[in-house]
Every structure is written in structure tokens, then in C-alpha cells.
Amino acid sequence: MTAGGLSGGLASLRGVGKIHQAQLAKLGLVTLEDLIGFFPRDYEDRREAKPIFQLIDGETTCIRATVAVASSGGRLPGGRPMVRTRVFDTTGMLNITFFNNPYVKNKLIPGKEYDFCGRVEARGGYKSMVNPEFEPAGGNKISGRILPVYRRTEGVSRNLLMQLTRQALDAARGHYLEPLPPALVEKYRLPPPEWAYEHVHYPETPEDIHQARRRLIFEELLSFCCALQFLRAGEAGETGQRLSIHDPEEFFAVLPFSPTAAQKRAVAEAWADMCSGRRMNRLLQGDVGSGKTLVAAACAFLAAQNGKQTVIMAPTELLANQHARTVCELLSPHGISVGLLTGGMTAAEKRKIKAGAAAGELQVLCGTHALLQEDVSLPTAALFVVDEQHRFGVRQRAALGQKTADAHLLVMSATPIPRTLTLILYGDLDISVLDELPPGRQQILTYVIGEEKRARMYSFLEKQAREGGQAYIVCPRIGDDGAESGKKAALDYAAELQRKLPALRIGLLHGRMKGTEKERVMAAFSEGILDVLVSTTVIEVGVDVPNATLMVVEDADLFGLSQLHQLRGRVGRGSRQSYCILMSEDPSEAAKQRLSTLARTSDGFEIARADLQLRGPGDFFGDRQHGLPAFHIADLAGDMRVLQAAQDEAKDLLTRDPRLAACPLLRKRVDEVIDKTLENALN
């Protein structure tokens, strides 16, 4: 971004002592360059004051008004100081109240004009503001301009951030260098970096914001796309073990059901890769219940027919156990041995499995990250299958490849990703899509309801149990974590539900339980010993229970759409009609709009598009998404067109200059992105 001299700490700025240094560090602000790159998340246009009579309840705006009466002070119960006054303009009167600021009483002088900025409240014909910002009329510090809105932390106000950012920008003046090739600057008519940084923090017009952000977003996404190209350069065109082709009907003929055309197509594509002599790098995308495990089993079958081993790696023990059972059912008729290795197994069990793998006796090994341990030997491994790819880091994926460098790789995801984003995030992978569900899968009827219908929900729950069905109830938290009160907690919910519905057999499952205990509870539910399983999202990817007909999600507004879609996919696995009930007390239109998408469609890709648009990629992939850097200003959802342009330019740039020798500053930025990406992968 800049030349040398700006990497110093914030202690050099006026108003920054040790306390503020610690507070700013929580925001990742340690150097002047950090501060300049701490972009506003929004803006408030305070260029024009509104007449009082035009004020609308709930809006945040500015007025210019005269203090009518001397401020009066007092105290609330508990001792909190309160100051009240009244102001007016030519169109009306406004009441103003300040809490916890007794000194304001002496700052507002009757008869003088001030600018006030705050949230309007209108009740009973009276309009008011509580704790507005104010300054003498025309002061232009908090009014008469466009103000940036920054992400904040305790002890760091917007005024402080503005003061410090101003000092940092002044210190940086004249130090900016252009990292982008001149041809790209001219092609996209990008403003100079110094102008962009100045106006992204202190714009004079909305057009300034647009132009500054356009420049900085393109620069950030171009660096990102170049970094992805570098990260993947070593994978493209790698040689892989050349397997001998077999007749796929050998595998399909003994299945207890008919595979879909999409499954057969995906198997054919993967087998062609594995027999081509080049290393397979394939992403298998499929909606909930589309049969991805069958495709993985078919690839393991081909490897076994060639005397080779397959490793199937899952993010949780529950999912690893499910894969082991399902793959064993599909492959045992062919005499193919399947083993399981997870962190929750005893030391003796682990030694036995590792010995079998090292001796080549186990042809398929399923497991969790325990498979990455150095003492796990896979002498004839030809295929690695990684499920829920977005939950693994770059380094974890690389660690698998180090065990056998020329082994093929199949990554599976039940999180549908919009195709444009898929091509960018997984540009090194060939893509197979399972776009049809196996026969017999019914659409899950989905309803969004509020607290007023809870009694009816409980009655429906009892009805499902009487008719032989089973139900999941998912809560957003466990219950002993000190989280926000009022949000449903699994521990309390299970106990209360047992009191309300004593005839039902209720189980409890959450992430803090030991692996063996989780397995015991899931087994009881799977075998029909339990009617209801109260759980956290640990069952998002869990064992199949064909008899489960009802999914209830409490506080559904706290979950992302893609996550809710995953949870909904836990039911509807059998022949009976299944239901999903989303409980929500959030009255906002945004929450209603989000949840109505689930009720309207079961298309995972449509849901993914809506989720990406509404929440952005960080929440879309979940807290554990690795391999994506934390963007400072770009937004993969809102800036998709810029991302596509940046990807095209990165490819063209690296084709002509593979090491970016002619663009050393851009190469420096790219290296920083790579370092940060790999750092994220280790966390």
C-alpha cells in the first residue's frame, strides 16, 4: 500500500496511551498502516439537516434547532443522572434526553442554535431524541458531512477512530506507491491509491465513496485471485496413479437400489480421472440426501479392484462413523474391507486399525483428522476422499497429499455453492454436481411459526410420535455457557420438554459430550428407542434415521439458511411425509424474508444464493471456513462482478508474467495474502 516509514506503532499518535493501544489491538490495529486499512463498514450522510416536522419514528438523522429552555437535571432509580431539554425550529418542537452525562446541562445554552444527530422516537404526538450527538450549528464535525461508520470495540469510539485515522492519513501523505500495472489502472479508470484511501475514510459525496471503494475492492480481489493461482499452481497437471478401468456395472449390480443418472455420471467422471494418469482433483457437490457417499464408495471400489487403498476423511466422529457404516454396506458384497479411525477410540483400537492400514489389510479407512497423524501409514493409498471440504484447512488438505503425493483427491460438499463462486474458490478442481435426489425422497413441508403456536407444535410432535415417527429439536446453544438469556438451550429444553410431555422418550445430544456418549445417544435414536432428540447443531451432519419425520429448529433466525437447509435434510430419509418447523421470535422483516426462503424452496443452490447475498461468505461457510482471507473491504456476495473481472485479469497477468516480476509491489501483496491464508488454515 505504502512505502516504508508507516509500519510504526500507534503510540506515535496523539491521544493514544497504553489503554487505547490495548483496545485498538482488539480490532487488529497495531500500526499506522493497519489504521489506514481499517475501512468504514458504512456511512451516515449528515450533509443536510431535516426540519423537525419531517422526522420519522425510528430514523437516524440530523436537525438544526435552538435550545428553548434551560436544561433540567435529575436522577433515575439506581442513581443514573438524567438531563432533559427542549429544542425547536420553525416547523416544530423536539424533546431531548441525556442519560449518564450530567455535564451536558452546562453545554446547551438557551437561545443558541445547535446541530443534533440521533435516533428519532415518536410517541403520543411528541418527537424526541435520546443521547444525540450535538455541536454548535455549522461545526461540521458531526454534521454537515458524510461520516464513516467503523466496527468498534469497548473503549474505542467513532470520534477516536476518526481522529486517529486523520492523523495516520496525514502521516501517509506522499508515501503511497501504485501496486497495480498501469494498463489495469487505465483500463478500469481507477483513481490513485492516495486519493482512494483519503476518500474512503473522508468522502465529500456518495460518488467519492463509490470510486474509492471500487479502486480498493479491485486491488484487494486482484491480490486474492493472484494468490489463489499461486497456491494452486503446484496442483494443476500433477501426475497421478493410473488405475485400470473396470466395468462400473460390477459395482452398481449389487446395490439394493437403482442409482440416479447424476450418480452414474459423477462416477464415470471420477473414474475417467483416476484412469487418466493425471492426479484427480474433483469437487463433488450434492444437495442434502443426493447420494454423494455412493459416488465415494464407487471410487473406493475402483481403487480396491486395482489393489489400492482409499481414505475417507470427515470433520466429525458422527459423520466418520456414518461413512464407515454406509461404505461398508456398499462394499462388503465385493469383499472389500472397511475400517474406522477416530480420536474417541481407545489406544488399543487405534493400534489395531493403524496396523491393519500399514499392512494394507484395510482397503478403505474412514476417519476424522486423526488420519493426519504421522504414525498413520497408508502404503498403497490411491484415493483420498474429503467430506465437507470447507471445514478443512489448506494445510490439512495438503497433509493428506503428503502421505501419498500421487493419490487422487475427491472433495465432497453438501453445502451448495453458487457456480460463479465455486469456479473461483475451487478453480483448481473439476466439478461434478448431483442435481437429482434418489427415488422416493419426498419434499419436506416447511413452516415458520412464532411462540403463539408453540402449544400446537407440541401437539403435532406428540402426534408424530404416536404414529411411529421421531423428531429432532435443535437449539442454538448448550445451556451452561453464559450466553444470551432467552435463547433456547438444549440442556434446559430437554428437561422442560420431558416435564411437559412425560409420555415421550426424550434424549439429549450436544458437542461437549464424549464421543462414546454421543454414539450411544445417536444409536438409541436410530434404533427407535427415543422419540425425540434434543440437540445442538452437532446433528447437522449425522447418521441417517429414516424414521425421523419432524425437525424443529428453535430460534431459527440465529442460523444461516444453508445451515438450516442442512438441518432440514436430517428428516425425509424414509418413505413417510416429513416436516420442518422453524421457530422464530424475531419480528424484523429481514428475518421473515430469510426464513420464508426455506419455506418456499428446497433447492439447495437457490438457498445458497440467498444465504450468500444476505449474510456474506464468512457466515455462509461458517466460523471454521479456512482458505478464505478476511477481506478488509471486498464482499464476495456484493462484489461478484468485480471478483470475476479480477479473476480474469489475474489469469491474464500470470500467463504473461508467472512470478509477477514486473509488479513487485503487487507480488508483495499477493505473498501477504498467501501467508494469511496459510495462517488461517492452521487455526
Side-chain angles (χ1 to χ4, degrees):
M1 178 183 74
T2 60
L6 287 180
S7 58
L10 300 185
S12 62
L13 300 180
R14 294 186 308 277
V16 178
K18 289 185 178 180
I19 293 177
H20 274 147
Q21 283 184 63
Q23 292 167 334
L24 291 163
K26 293 179 181 178
L27 294 171
L29 305 180
V30 179
T31 68
L32 298 184
E33 203 157 325
D34 292 336
L35 195 57
I36 293 172
F38 189 67
F39 300 117
R41 62 176 176 81
D42 203 354
Y43 297 88
E44 290 180 10
D45 192 345
R46 296 182 175 182
R47 290 175 297 169
E48 304 218 357
K50 272 185 111 172
I52 289 176
F53 90 97
Q54 289 184 359
L55 298 181
I56 300 171
D57 183 33
E59 74 173 336
T60 299
T61 189
C62 293
I63 63 166
R64 178 164 291 182
T66 302
V67 176
V69 296
S71 303
S72 62
R75 290 191 178 275
L76 294 171
R80 281 201 307 160
M82 176 180 66
V83 175
R84 286 177 173 162
T85 190
R86 182 174 292 182
V87 301
F88 68 92
D89 64 10
T90 57
T91 69
M93 301 283 292
L94 183 79
N95 296 320
I96 295 182
T97 304
F98 294 92
F99 295 108
N100 295 324
N101 190 358
Y103 306 105
V104 75
K105 183 177 179 180
N106 302 321
K107 294 181 179 179
L108 293 173
I109 302 171
K112 285 202 169 185
E113 197 174 40
Y114 297 85
D115 291 326
F116 298 90
C117 298
R119 188 174 185 273
V120 179
E121 295 181 7
R123 294 177 184 171
Y126 294 94
K127 295 174 182 177
S128 64
M129 282 184 179
V130 175
N131 288 338
E133 296 177 80
F134 69 93
E135 66 182 352
N140 287 340
K141 287 187 177 180
I142 59 115
S143 61
R145 58 188 292 188
I146 297 175
L147 283 187
V149 178
Y150 295 101
R151 180 168 56 88
R152 298 193 339 230
T153 190
E154 185 178 355
V156 180
S157 67
R158 170 165 55 189
N159 285 340
L160 177 63
L161 284 170
M162 288 179 63
Q163 292 169 18
L164 301 182
T165 304
R166 179 69 273 160
Q167 293 182 60
L169 287 168
D170 290 343
R173 192 170 290 126
H175 287 280
Y176 294 89
L177 297 174
E178 177 60 78
L180 301 181
L184 290 185
V185 173
E186 183 178 351
K187 178 178 179 179
Y188 292 98
R189 298 181 179 178
L190 301 175
E194 181 165 344
W195 187 95
Y197 282 101
E198 174 70 28
H199 287 81
V200 78
H201 289 286
Y202 295 100
E204 296 178 7
T205 67
E207 179 62 17
D208 288 349
I209 299 172
H210 171 70
Q211 292 298 339
R213 284 179 53 84
R214 189 172 67 87
R215 151 83 208 202
L216 297 169
I217 288 169
F218 181 83
E219 182 178 328
E220 184 168 48
L221 291 179
L222 181 68
S223 302
F224 168 62
C225 290
C226 287
L228 286 183
Q229 296 287 331
F230 277 124
L231 282 171
R232 293 165 178 164
E235 296 182 9
E238 288 183 343
T239 57
Q241 298 182 39
R242 185 189 295 273
L243 304 186
S244 299
I245 193 66
H246 280 252
D247 183 358
E249 288 305 318
E250 290 181 40
F251 174 76
F252 295 133
V254 299
L255 294 176
F257 51 84
S258 297
T260 65
Q263 286 173 319
K264 285 191 170 184
R265 182 178 66 246
V267 169
E269 291 168 346
W271 281 28
D273 288 348
M274 295 168 71
C275 298
S276 68
R278 70 176 181 86
R279 185 169 181 250
M280 176 172 74
N281 282 289
R282 184 166 292 275
L283 171 67
L284 177 63
Q285 277 192 304
D287 213 339
V288 176
S290 59
K292 296 180 295 298
T293 307
L294 180 141
V295 177
C299 293
F301 168 83
L302 179 62
Q305 297 306 306
N306 281 267
K308 302 292 185 178
Q309 293 173 300
T310 294
V311 176
I312 300 178
M313 185 168 164
T316 66
E317 292 196 12
L318 282 173
L319 189 55
N321 274 274
Q322 175 183 310
H323 281 324
R325 283 190 285 268
T326 303
V327 170
C328 187
E329 290 172 4
L330 295 172
L331 296 181
S332 59
H334 302 283
I336 297 173
S337 57
V338 178
L340 174 68
L341 181 64
T342 65
M345 297 169 65
T346 67
E349 290 172 330
K350 291 178 183 176
R351 281 195 300 270
K352 182 179 179 181
I353 291 295
K354 291 176 183 177
E361 297 167 359
L362 283 177
Q363 293 161 289
V364 179
L365 182 58
C366 301
T368 58
H369 60 277
L371 296 171
L372 298 177
Q373 296 170 356
E374 290 183 6
D375 62 345
V376 178
S377 176
L378 303 159
T380 65
L383 172 66
F384 290 111
V385 180
V386 178
D387 198 9
E388 293 301 317
Q389 157 69 9
H390 65 281
R391 297 192 180 201
F392 289 105
V394 174
R395 288 279 176 86
Q396 291 167 311
R397 177 172 149 185
L400 277 174
Q402 288 172 3
K403 291 188 176 291
T404 307
D406 58 353
H408 300 286
L409 179 66
L410 177 70
V411 297
M412 305 193 299
S413 178
T415 304
I417 305 170
R419 182 162 180 80
T420 306
L421 188 55
T422 300
L423 290 173
I424 291 166
L425 298 183
Y426 300 109
D428 60 324
L429 302 181
D430 296 309
I431 301 171
S432 293
V433 178
L434 298 181
D435 51 8
E436 57 182 313
L437 296 179
R441 290 297 299 269
Q442 298 186 43
Q443 182 172 350
I444 301 164
L445 300 180
T446 303
Y447 303 94
V448 182
I449 65 173
E451 190 65 29
E452 73 281 358
K453 293 185 179 178
R454 178 169 295 279
R456 290 181 61 184
M457 184 271 283
Y458 284 155
S459 297
F460 186 67
L461 176 63
E462 287 184 299
K463 179 175 181 289
Q464 290 294 305
R466 283 197 306 271
E467 294 175 355
Q470 294 170 273
Y472 294 99
I473 299 181
V474 175
C475 299
R477 64 189 189 94
I478 296 174
D480 56 354
D481 49 6
E484 180 183 353
S485 61
K487 302 306 179 187
K488 295 294 186 295
L491 289 172
D492 300 333
Y493 196 110
E496 182 182 351
L497 190 65
Q498 191 67 79
R499 288 193 296 270
K500 288 179 180 288
L501 307 176
L504 296 185
R505 299 166 297 173
I506 298 170
L508 174 66
L509 185 72
H510 58 76
R512 293 184 190 162
M513 296 166 62
K514 292 182 178 179
T516 53
E517 192 177 359
K518 290 180 191 175
E519 287 298 313
R520 180 184 59 78
V521 174
M522 277 307 307
F525 188 66
S526 183
E527 293 165 12
I529 298 172
L530 298 174
D531 300 308
V532 180
L533 183 61
V534 178
S535 173
T536 56
T537 55
V538 70
I539 56 94
E540 178 185 343
V541 282
V543 297
D544 291 338
V545 182
N547 204 42
T549 56
L550 175 62
M551 167 64 70
V552 178
V553 183
E554 294 285 353
D555 297 308
D557 47 276
L558 299 179
F559 298 88
L561 294 185
S562 294
Q563 188 176 29
L564 289 172
H565 183 56
Q566 296 283 320
L567 291 169
R568 176 170 61 179
R570 295 298 100 209
V571 300
R573 299 277 173 144
S575 58
R576 299 177 55 184
Q577 178 62 58
S578 293
Y579 307 86
C580 178
I581 297 177
L582 305 175
M583 302 287 296
S584 173
E585 283 299 289
D586 190 332
S588 69
E589 283 302 315
K592 292 176 182 176
Q593 177 189 348
R594 288 178 63 248
L595 296 180
S596 68
T597 302
L598 264 294
R600 187 182 71 250
T601 182
S602 59
D603 184 334
F605 286 92
E606 182 179 342
I607 291 165
R609 282 191 293 272
D611 206 13
L612 186 63
Q613 187 64 44
L614 288 166
R615 304 201 309 153
D619 288 328
F620 176 78
F621 286 110
D623 291 339
R624 294 186 62 194
Q625 162 62 10
H626 298 317
L628 275 180
F631 291 106
H632 293 285
I633 193 168
D635 169 20
L636 289 186
D639 300 319
M640 190 66 74
R641 289 184 179 178
V642 184
L643 181 59
Q644 188 67 62
Q647 186 192 36
D648 293 341
E649 296 297 349
K651 286 181 178 178
D652 182 62
L653 196 58
L654 291 171
T655 297
R656 291 182 284 104
D657 185 2
R659 308 312 302 169
L660 293 178
C663 307
L665 288 176
L666 178 59
R667 177 59 193 264
K668 181 174 180 290
R669 290 285 303 275
V670 169
D671 288 341
E672 290 170 356
V673 173
I674 292 173
D675 290 344
K676 194 66 178 175
T677 299
L678 294 178
E679 179 184 327
N680 289 343
L682 292 172
N683 296 328

